[in-house]
Amino acid sequence: MARLAYVTSDKAVAAFLARANFTLLKFVDNGGSQAFAAGDGGRVVVAFRGTEASDPTDLGFDVDAELSPCPQGGQAHRGFMRALELVWPTLEPVIPANARVLMTGHSLGAAVATLAATRRPGAQLVTCGSPRVGDAQFVAHAMANVP
């Protein structure tokens, strides 16, 4: 799913997901930040796309490394929080309240998935190649709320 987040066509993503018995719930491409939510009944996977070196917006998210207050606790990387804010308001409403949720991503997407998981207590988190997302207080909060 983390790899699939790099695909830029919602139709291609939906077709691949269908082969795995998942339904595309939402595909978001907003301001340089991309993600999708897919479900198979009681489970929802939310996958965030990582850095594309040819996209200056992604590079901007990556280098905006100043720590800023994170609403969920501690301080987190400001650029990663900005990337999440571009897609989360569209993704969050399509995730059923009682769904088992898995957040995933690679690189920048892994950092954004980590932030998203702290907003959804009980969500599972599986990342690949994640950069540092926040300070020790943020990590303590994340560890307490993300299995």
Side-chain angles (χ1 to χ4, degrees), residues 22-44:
F22 275 83
T23 301
L24 181 63
L25 303 174
K26 195 66 167 178
F27 182 89
V28 184
D29 184 349
N30 185 24
S33 195
Q34 290 89 22
F36 69 84
D40 74 344
R43 297 181 299 175
V44 173

Side-chain angles (χ1 to χ4, degrees), residues 9 73 86 128 145:
S9 163
L86 290 170
C128 308
N145 291 289

Side-chain angles (χ1 to χ4, degrees), residues 5-29:
Y6 284 88
V7 175
T8 59
S9 163
D10 59 338
K11 289 177 181 46
V13 170
F16 183 85
L17 288 168
R19 292 194 317 249
N21 296 317
F22 275 83
T23 301
L24 181 63
L25 303 174
K26 195 66 167 178
F27 182 89
V28 184
D29 184 349

